[in-house]
Amino acid sequence: MTKTNASDMIRSARFRAEREASWKRLEGLVAEVEKSGTAALSYGQALDLASLYRQAMNSLSVARSISMDKSLLLYLEALCARAYLVIYAPQESITGALQRLFVTGIPQAVRRSAIPLVIGFAAMMIGCLVGYLLFQQDPSWYFTFVPPELADGRAPGASASYLRDSLYDTDTRDGESLGVFASFLFSHNTRIAIFIFALGVFVALPSFALTFYNGVLLGAFVALYAEAGLGPDVVAWLSIHGVTEISAICVACAGGAKLGLAVLNPGSLTRRAALKDASHDAVKLAILAGLMLIVAALVEGFLRQLIQDMWLRLVIGWGLGLCWMLWLALSGRNRESGQ
Amino acid sequence: MIGRKAELLPPEGVPIAFEISSAGSRLGAQLLDILITFGGMFLLFVVLIWMGVFDWGLLATLFFLLTFLIRIPYYIFAELVWNGRTIGKRIVKIRVVSDNGGRLTPHQIVARNLMKEVEVFLPIATLLSGQFDTSLTGWMLFFWMVGILLVPLLNKHRQRLGDMIAGTLVVDQPQLVLMPDLSTRSATKGNGFVFDTGQLGVYGRYELQVLEEILRSRPQSLEQTKRMQEVARTIVRKIGYQQRLLPNDYWNFLNDFYRQQREFLENRHLFGDTRENKFHDVKAAGKET
């Protein structure tokens, strides 16, 4: 078999012969970037990558209209696809993306999501109220709500002194076991928050129900201590981390509600498009919830055990809450108006 | 079910088709990822405990942090760093792409993976644990979870809920194979087979590309040779080729026919007369009447 010379070739074969070398070069560059990243390229190579990519795209477009060589078309399509994935890769620096997220992204998303936030906090508060009132009516409700492993002896009928001890830990823990406790809390609570968030896509009801149930638990728990005359003490005990932690659950629920509302009431969009639209703010709410849970776990794991004074607990808890509020209310204001 | 395509439109304006990954390869990638993360963590702890440099408190802290990190954060970081590929996806050769033709954004990666907890981990863990009650709620939960797992099988682009929310697709990594151009291989020296317009006008693009596949490799076995000869005889009969043809010449005959047929069809195509298959005459006649 011999190769025919160029003048003998048919048009599409000539087209290919003229460009094949540049495709092969692009293939080599793409393989290199896929293996060791864009940073491995020299300045000249990076420039070449871009221009060779455009040439290959051009070739694909021309080949589709002049060539019936199936293998060539498949090759060009795959080459362009690979090069496209290499060139349109995420190129933001992680620090830049994080900075944008914290300065503008999250606070603006929170300010845009008033209704879902109301739903999230309402679920918690109504649950809390229901739990409190039911307990006052009949303390045996407590056993219905609270699973025994969570109650840990803190049940109706427990003596006031036992309850007091459970609030003001007298046995001193060393720093290490506090760290274990904090990391357990974080790992556990974050999973629950992601759960509450993701369930929101099923028209928000499961998120609402889970948050409501958490509220009922909380209400019954407070009522139990209030009956023993320890009302302010339990509020302080809960406040130091709870202001952040319980708000985080509500925020996660709000993120879920945002998705659920998009499914329930997509407006003039299709449900799928509405869901996609809502996800931008919803995901930021979920990230915020995760962040708050990290802080809450640190506070619950360390500070609550180390600080035994009721007033200091209240001040730290609500002060932290105030900080969250200030950040979310004020950050990223001028950029918002600038856009 | 196999061979579904999704067309993306990159900013350059030339549509590119990607093959949507099969449900099997996605399940495989997911199982591999679970195996790698949980297995890796198990091995790490075996080694750490064996070395005995850390005390139990530190180990427990590490354990709780890692059990969290290997769930959602692992997938987010892997897909961020490797542009839509976790380790499992790399092994199975599939990847996540944005369905709008732009680049994959961090938002999309976070959104699709946050949903994983409810869509993948919860149903798998619950169904595998085997502990569900046979009450009405038990059955409802069971069907609900099976339903969630089935979502990717029930829509056109095999998207799970997280993919729909984020606007992402999972596609096969395109494979690069460049075959030689068949039209440049001229088997005949001097006396080539020559076909006239009437003979070349019988077939269309589809038949040409089938012939291309046949000609990709020379027949090795007796059976392959027989099949190739049958193709050649069919073509001779259909186009009404008059000259005598020796069995030895069949291969060269097909190669020459391919080259001239392709040149002819490509020319007609440039003049606006695209012949998709051998029924192009019927269509043209139908239009005229």
Side-chain angles (χ1 to χ4, degrees), chain A residues 8 12 65 77 82 272, chain B residues 17 159 174 259 262 266 269:
Chain A
D8 258 4
S12 59
S65 63
E77 184 150 25
R82 290 279 274 269
R272 190 183 276 233
Chain B
Q159 287 173 300
R259 181 169 185 270
R262 193 171 122 194
E266 285 173 357
H269 180 66

Side-chain angles (χ1 to χ4, degrees), chain A residues 186-251:
Chain A
F186 166 68
S187 166
H188 174 254
N189 291 342
T190 316
R191 263 191 59 209
I192 290 189
I194 292 176
F195 214 61
I196 289 181
F197 165 75
L199 281 173
V201 76
F202 305 104
V203 297
L205 280 178
S207 297
F208 189 87
L210 263 175
T211 316
F212 180 81
Y213 174 66
N214 270 301
V216 172
L217 279 182
L218 190 69
F221 194 68
V222 171
L224 169 72
Y225 280 86
E227 208 183 38
L230 289 166
D233 299 81
V234 76
V235 169
W237 183 79
L238 281 170
S239 286
I240 187 167
H241 68 282
V243 172
T244 303
E245 188 180 89
I246 293 167
S247 303
I249 299 291
C250 297
V251 168

Side-chain angles (χ1 to χ4, degrees), chain B residues 147-160:
Chain B
I148 297 175
L149 284 177
L150 288 183
V151 166
L153 295 177
L154 299 178
N155 66 81
K156 198 173 86 189
H157 288 147
R158 296 206 188 96
Q159 287 173 300
R160 57 180 179 84

